[in-house]
Amino acid sequence: MIVSEAAADNLSEVNKETDIPAVEVSDLTVAYHDKPVLWDIDLTVPNGVLMAIVGPNGAGKTTLIKAILGLIRPVAGQVLIYGRPCGEQRRLIAYVPQRGSVDWDFPTTVLDLVMMGTYGSLGWFRRPGKAERERALRALEKVEMAAFAHRQISQLSGGQQQRVFLARALVQDAQVYFMDEPFQGVDATTERAIIELLRELRSHGRTVLVVHHDLQTVIEYFDWVMLLNVRRIASGPVSEVFTEANLRAAYGARLALIRNGGFTSRSTFQ
Amino acid sequence: MMTLADFFRPENYPLRVVVLGCGALGLVSGALGAFAVLRKQSLLGDAISHAALPGVALAFLLTQTKEPVFLLTGAALASWLGTLLVMVIVRYTRIKYDAALGVMLSVFFGVGLVVLTYIQNHSTKANQAGLRNFLFGQAGTLLLSDVIVIVELAALVLLVLALFWKEFKLLSFDPDYAATLGYPIQLLDVLLTTLLVIAIVTGLQAVGAVLMSALIIAPAAAARQWTDRLGVMVVLAGLFGATAGVAGGLLGDLLSVPPVALPTGPLVVLCVSAIVIFSLLLAPNRGLVWNGLREMARRRQLQLEAILDHLYQLSLQHESLDHGHPFAVVRSMAVGQGNVLRSLKELEARGWARRTGPSMWAITEAGLEEARRRRIVRQQE
């Protein structure tokens, strides 16, 4: 079980408030200097879906997640998490950044890193104690990394780093998870383990947004999808939205249809 | 030569004051430096210390006193202004962080030198104020009042560091994640940088603006060699900094022959460099010497295996293990695989090879066994 009893109650309360979407983005525009990176994005993510955000390189996928989380200040637009601004809903949010965004030579252990997931609920000045240790260890078991608890993080492989990052987010016991390229550069075993975890989260009514690169696995892994290329091309259930026409609109000439009926982007072979 | 008993004689009271001051400023610089290095802000320390110089000079010009409180406040304000300017430049122009640091460092330092020269030419109090000491440091000029300020600031910095330990660790490792947990990372960043500014400013008089950054960066770099834990690293860096500070201060006192006073800064740098070199070479795990030895042992092992395998191959061509092979043949098979004779002798010592005549070699029964086993292992790998 990922989900604690308390959190399950918490969740049902959220659900009781009728059908408030997990994430609601309106008119979001982000620019670096003069160049728009995201243009007038509207997006509604219903509670309890497993959603992929796909689009070509430079489409603004990471920027979108960061803007939703309040890490980047948008030029315009509004973001609501379960009906309220992000800043008021920190305890409902968990973020899994790109693996490469931190220095893995930082002097700390796996367990210590995962315990950082408890810092939000701890608040100022309080140090993590036995209870936080326990929570971190349980999350590590969840990602099959318990044996590595006392390892240096510098000794981990790419897949192991990703699992540890995931464990840190699981510790938060959040309602909505934002994951930036969790499958980037991981081995096949890890990829399967991660997707199993994401499905388990969904089965407990959690919402998961994943920046995703591999168009071929979208249909298999996800039930909701957003196609993005600076503007929102489309978003909705995979069965309705993940069409050739939409993909063509998002990827343009870079899209190649392959025989088995799946889609791939040529850029992934470069 | 001074003994410990001499050190505690009443007439050495000023020296004890100096040692206390240098120790305290080294401790706090080292501890804060650990965070600066981990956050890849080593050069920020350099920029902060150089930027402090005009602050000291202007503070003296305005107040006409050398009260440490005024001079250090001036230094801190100038450092802060410099750091702020770097942030503004990075944010609003296309100039990158390293270039902004470089520009800011030289501009402030240049202004500092100009004002300093002006003071020396126009103020009779200049030599008394000893403002030049802020360039290269003069631990011997530390008075009890200076040291009291240093110790108080050091205690304050370490207290705040302990209080915000968890938050600073998170900020240093993954600031974006910290923000999603609800921590105000800009504020924490400002706080941690302020502590760094205080640490640097406390060291200005004793170590000097030019070389103060060594006491920030070097102890942390050395400490990183010895540990993989943040807590241990910060404590070690503090201890290394204190050691270098005290050693530099003492050396300055011992080596100075009045009226020529040796500046403390370069001596501190020499001491801390010794610690860094020792750590780089000899720290367990990360030490270059051990890495080199491990590498050599590995290469030796591979050479041995290769020679054993050659003997094995040769033995396959003959019925009897007693059939010896000329040394020259083995050597020609093992081009580029080290000293062949040495490897053969080593194999002989292990009982895996033997001599069948002068310069004739053959594999033994045990060697055959070993060669087969290693072939299987290699296949599995």
Side-chain angles (χ1 to χ4, degrees), chain A residues 23-49:
Chain A
V23 180
E24 200 168 10
V25 176
S26 39
D27 307 327
L28 186 73
T29 298
V30 177
Y32 290 131
H33 296 290
D34 299 335
K35 198 177 159 224
V37 185
L38 291 174
W39 192 255
D40 200 22
I41 302 282
D42 290 299
L43 173 69
T44 303
V45 184
N47 188 45
V49 299

Side-chain angles (χ1 to χ4, degrees), chain A residues 66 71 90 95 97 102-103 105-109 112-113 116-117 119 123-127 152 168 172, chain B residues 38 40 162-167 169-170 173-174 176-177 179-184 224 228-230 286:
Chain A
K66 286 193 169 179
L71 300 176
R90 293 286 179 206
Y95 173 45
V102 301
D103 174 12
D105 200 34
F106 194 86
T108 194
T109 61
D112 209 39
L113 194 165
M116 288 177 184
Y119 287 10
W124 292 98
F125 309 127
R126 280 181 57 206
R127 302 283 180 88
Q152 271 311 300
R168 184 177 68 171
Q172 291 178 253
Chain B
L38 287 175
K40 307 193 170 38
L163 213 55
F164 289 90
W165 178 261
K166 169 179 106 229
E167 287 77 13
K169 179 165 77 176
L170 189 58
F173 177 65
D174 195 349
D176 271 359
Y177 183 73
T180 68
L181 292 181
Y183 286 102
R224 185 69 187 89
D228 277 326
R229 300 188 149 270
L230 180 63
R286 286 185 174 231

Side-chain angles (χ1 to χ4, degrees), chain B residues 49-71:
Chain B
S49 61
H50 280 75
L53 196 63
V56 173
L58 286 172
F60 176 78
L61 209 56
L62 290 176
T63 63
Q64 293 293 321
T65 68
K66 55 167 193 165
E67 278 295 308
V69 180
F70 291 122
L71 296 188

Side-chain angles (χ1 to χ4, degrees), chain B residues 80 87 171 185-195:
Chain B
W80 242 115
M87 288 177 188
L171 175 77
I185 52 167
Q186 268 97 1
L187 262 173
L188 283 170
D189 191 5
V190 167
L191 185 61
L192 191 51
T193 308
T194 305
L195 296 186

